[in-house]
Amino acid sequence: MSEKILMCGNEALSEAAIIAGVDAYFGYPITPQNEVPAYMARRMPQEGRVFLQSESELAAINMVFGAAAAGKLAMTSSSSPGISLMQEGISYMCAAQMPAVVVNVMRGGPGLGNISPSQGDYFQATRGGGHGDYRTIVLAPGSVQEMADLTHKAFELADLYRIVVMVLADGLLGQMMEPITLDHLKPIKTKAKPWALTGAKGRKQNIIKTLLLQGNELEVLNLKLQEVYRQIGDEQTRYDTYQVEDADIILVAYGITSKITRAAVSKARQKGIKAGWVRPITLWPFPSKVLTELAKEPRIFLAVEMSNGQMVEDVRLAVGGGGPVLFYGRAGGAVPTVDEVLEHIEKIMLPEVMKKA
Amino acid sequence: MTEQDYYEEIIIAGFGGQGIIMLGKLLANAAMIDGLEVTYFPSYGAEVRGGTANCMVVISNEPIASPLVTSFDSVIVLNKASCERFSPRLKPGGLLLYNSSKIGSVIPPVDAEVLAIPSDDIAVELGSPRSTNMVAIGAYLQKRGVIPLETAVKCLEKVLAKRHHKTIPINEKALYKGAEFAKGLLAGQTVK
């Protein structure tokens, strides 16, 4: 049997990255993710790998770019304002098709905001974030166990598709401790990297650049990227469901909010309300199909987020005209409680129940 | 304690340096080893030395929805400021366990069980003033009777940094002393 250990989310994702085989970590401190650089500062040298505290977030993301260009598995982590600073570098890496992992442990915004948990960076994460026509894979852990599992998965996907993968967590998931296991995680099998800058001895030189001025070469790159994104959409869309089959109302939530809403759904069931739950695990690609399917029956959808309504737009796109899509959220570092969500479900469903009667 | 429904929301608070965070981790580890579901959530970030520290621990035999709680089944407080801040958020029927060496008599705002433990004094008597947190947790474990004292003792080496491992015997002693004191108190209460 695998041994359970008590770890906070930030440490769990760090150890998972080490197990996956990260060669180099670059980062600049910011709450609420400081346990990541602290953990890496201790563990990476023990493994004979690179830990480097950069002078800024801009430096950190460009160090990741450099390490990735050299064919190494590299990562950085930060929190909302720091991730904003990294967007230029992420855009460059996506243009150059560099595999890398970026962890965002979201905090309250906008601006420097506060250090409380938030989900306000959904738009930024799922729409590319920087300039230009690109995407990153976005994974949304819903527990401390998944902070480890999905960070491990992030390295696999980054290497497989030559893409930046973002792990989108929040201050609660980063700070909270839960019993987890790491025994099932193994070093990932990496692909050969004939494109890497490893010294051109005995071969033609490789060039990694993102300025493409000749003819239609930039459009060709764009088409190539879109093809990769389509493939990722087909192969990597992930989600979880709970009691959706007969549900009249379906809650949609990711991250820590998914835990809270799932408990609210259970409580609603006890009160006779047929509630169900869909949890997107990949935020990009978004699991639209499952929602489109569920919307073929008459149902109400309720998106719950720690924001003023961002993922709800993807839910609306997926549901189309299939049913009403409502929203409940808290922002600026506030976290909804189970009872609060339950109350909201009741407010929506009691008039519905009355209508049917 | 696994066949019945069990759900307890706990806050542990005091000032920085009283071993609040360590206490939370000890309790969470002990609950985990005991086979219970558990979450631990610290106050983080803008904390300063000498300021207040707190952490929330949720223990249950069902999966836990959120580690962040707003009202508490158990409030364990080691200084006055924390007592004033958190005792108003006790649930009716909850438990208020406080360090009576630092906090005068407390009347909780709701109908709650109150355990006054002079944990500073007991720790000083043992010759280890810093073990006041261990006295408190010993008293708490004795009162709740959910997690065995031995399980918590076993976790000491996990939550204490290696350089502090030499303090394990005295901390163990403090934990049992706290339990003993609570036992005496509870016996007195039943007579009354």
Side-chain angles (χ1 to χ4, degrees):
Chain A
M1 203 185 112
S2 50
E3 197 202 348
K4 282 208 162 181
I5 43 173
L6 195 70
M7 259 184 152
C8 74
N10 286 332
E11 290 180 348
L13 80 85
S14 303
E15 188 57 37
I18 290 169
I19 294 169
V22 65
D23 294 303
Y25 172 93
F26 308 100
Y28 184 82
I30 183 170
T31 307
Q33 63 83 57
N34 281 327
E35 292 74 15
V36 181
Y39 192 90
M40 288 306 205
R42 184 165 56 82
R43 287 281 289 119
M44 291 294 269
Q46 287 174 357
E47 298 287 325
R49 305 186 205 170
V50 174
F51 167 86
L52 202 152
Q53 181 176 322
S54 59
E55 67 271 36
S56 72
E57 286 86 350
L58 271 72
I61 195 71
N62 284 292
M63 286 173 185
V64 171
F65 190 179
K72 298 296 179 185
L73 277 182
M75 76 177 289
T76 185
S77 64
S78 190
S79 180
S80 308
I83 295 291
S84 291
L85 288 166
M86 291 180 180
Q87 291 301 334
E88 180 194 51
I90 295 173
S91 171
Y92 279 42
M93 275 195 288
C94 284
Q97 291 197 276
M98 293 291 105
V101 173
V102 175
V103 177
N104 181 1
V105 182
M106 290 183 279
R107 57 187 250 174
L112 206 47
N114 63 18
I115 58 170
S116 298
S118 163
Q119 295 180 322
D121 303 350
Y122 181 92
F123 283 153
Q124 184 193 56
T126 58
R127 268 63 180 168
H131 61 281
D133 213 349
Y134 74 93
R135 300 282 189 164
T136 60
I137 296 176
V138 184
L139 305 177
S143 64
V144 175
Q145 181 66 56
E146 278 196 352
M147 289 289 263
D149 293 350
L150 291 181
T151 301
H152 185 273
K153 177 58 79 181
F155 283 96
E156 236 177 71
L157 298 179
D159 195 75
L160 181 61
Y161 296 104
R162 289 184 60 183
I163 193 171
V164 175
V165 181
M166 181 171 279
V167 177
L168 194 68
D170 64 79
L172 248 172
L173 282 170
Q175 294 292 324
M176 70 186 277
M177 285 188 169
E178 277 181 324
I180 63 161
T181 57
L182 294 169
D183 300 351
H184 57 290
L185 300 177
K186 301 284 178 275
I188 67 162
K189 288 192 185 75
T190 53
K191 279 172 76 173
K193 297 176 177 60
W195 46 264
L197 308 182
T198 54
K201 209 172 179 183
R203 63 160 168 79
K204 236 182 96 201
Q205 94 185 127
N206 285 333
I207 297 174
I208 290 174
K209 60 171 186 170
T210 67
L211 180 66
L212 303 171
L213 295 173
Q214 300 303 317
N216 67 341
E217 60 179 344
L218 186 56
E219 185 173 30
V220 169
L221 170 70
N222 266 276
L223 291 172
K224 189 174 151 195
L225 290 179
Q226 290 304 319
E227 187 44 44
V228 174
Y229 299 157
R230 252 190 300 281
Q231 197 190 340
I232 292 169
D234 290 343
E235 295 172 357
Q236 298 300 340
T237 308
R238 286 158 207 268
Y239 62 89
D240 196 2
T241 63
Y242 174 58
Q243 297 192 328
V244 288
E245 288 75 18
D246 66 338
D248 294 325
I249 181 167
I250 290 182
L251 278 77
V252 189
Y254 70 96
I256 191 71
T257 317
S258 69
K259 255 194 179 206
I260 296 163
T261 47
R262 193 184 152 125
V265 163
S266 288
K267 281 194 174 181
R269 283 270 169 181
Q270 284 166 19
K271 293 193 168 197
I273 297 170
K274 285 183 183 165
W277 174 89
V278 174
R279 171 172 81 100
I281 297 171
T282 50
L283 300 182
W284 192 88
F286 191 75
S288 302
K289 269 186 204 149
V290 61
L291 293 170
T292 309
E293 281 302 311
L294 287 168
K296 286 180 179 162
E297 303 287 324
R299 285 182 165 120
I300 295 172
F301 293 83
L302 173 63
V304 181
E305 300 174 60
M306 294 194 297
S307 80
N308 292 300
Q310 300 192 12
M311 180 198 63
V312 64
E313 294 196 0
D314 283 334
V315 178
R316 280 196 194 111
L317 284 171
V319 168
V325 177
L326 308 173
F327 173 74
Y328 179 69
R330 297 287 303 271
V335 180
T337 64
V338 174
D339 288 341
E340 220 172 288
V341 176
L342 178 65
E343 215 173 281
H344 210 75
I345 296 172
E346 287 178 309
K347 229 189 274 172
I348 297 163
M349 294 313 290
L350 287 180
E352 286 294 315
V353 174
M354 300 281 276
K355 241 192 285 174
K356 274 185 191 168
Chain B
M1 201 53 225
T2 39
E3 62 280 359
Q4 275 172 280
D5 278 353
Y6 191 77
Y7 187 82
E8 186 185 3
E9 297 176 325
I10 306 152
I11 186 144
I12 305 169
F15 52 66
Q18 278 185 313
I20 299 299
I21 298 299
M22 182 264 188
L23 210 58
K25 287 182 184 171
L26 182 72
L27 183 57
N29 267 289
M32 174 181 78
I33 288 175
D34 211 28
L36 292 158
E37 298 281 342
V38 63
T39 64
Y40 159 94
F41 186 64
S43 59
Y44 63 87
E47 309 296 341
V48 291
R49 184 182 286 260
T52 59
N54 71 72
C55 60
M56 296 168 186
V57 178
V58 183
I59 298 173
S60 177
N61 49 12
E62 295 284 327
I64 296 159
S66 173
L68 191 66
V69 285
T70 45
S71 59
F72 312 106
D73 299 293
S74 299
V75 172
I76 302 170
V77 280
L78 299 190
N79 74 340
K80 198 157 187 269
S82 302
C83 189
E84 283 166 0
R85 183 168 165 204
F86 294 113
S87 60
R89 281 151 67 180
L90 253 177
K91 292 182 200 170
L95 169 69
L96 172 65
L97 189 153
Y98 68 96
N99 173 7
S100 58
S101 308
K102 278 209 168 52
I103 308 166
S105 71
V106 182
I107 301 159
V110 292
D111 182 26
E113 282 189 85
V114 180
L115 270 189
I117 308 291
S119 50
D120 284 4
D121 297 335
I122 293 172
V124 168
E125 264 169 49
L126 284 170
S128 177
R130 289 178 67 185
S131 299
T132 184
N133 59 342
M134 287 299 115
V135 177
I137 200 71
Y140 162 83
L141 292 171
Q142 177 68 39
K143 163 68 190 137
R144 282 296 185 214
V146 174
I147 300 162
L149 298 169
E150 300 75 42
T151 311
V153 168
K154 253 189 273 171
C155 295
L156 277 170
E157 64 171 42
K158 269 193 186 183
V159 296
L160 281 169
K162 272 224 169 70
R163 64 181 190 278
H164 294 310
H165 277 192
K166 57 182 182 295
T167 68
I168 288 176
I170 187 70
N171 279 318
E172 180 177 343
K173 218 167 159 184
L175 192 143
Y176 280 110
K177 208 80 190 166
E180 202 180 292
F181 189 90
K183 209 173 179 177
L185 218 56
L186 292 164
Q189 275 178 359
T190 45
V191 170
K192 186 175 70 183

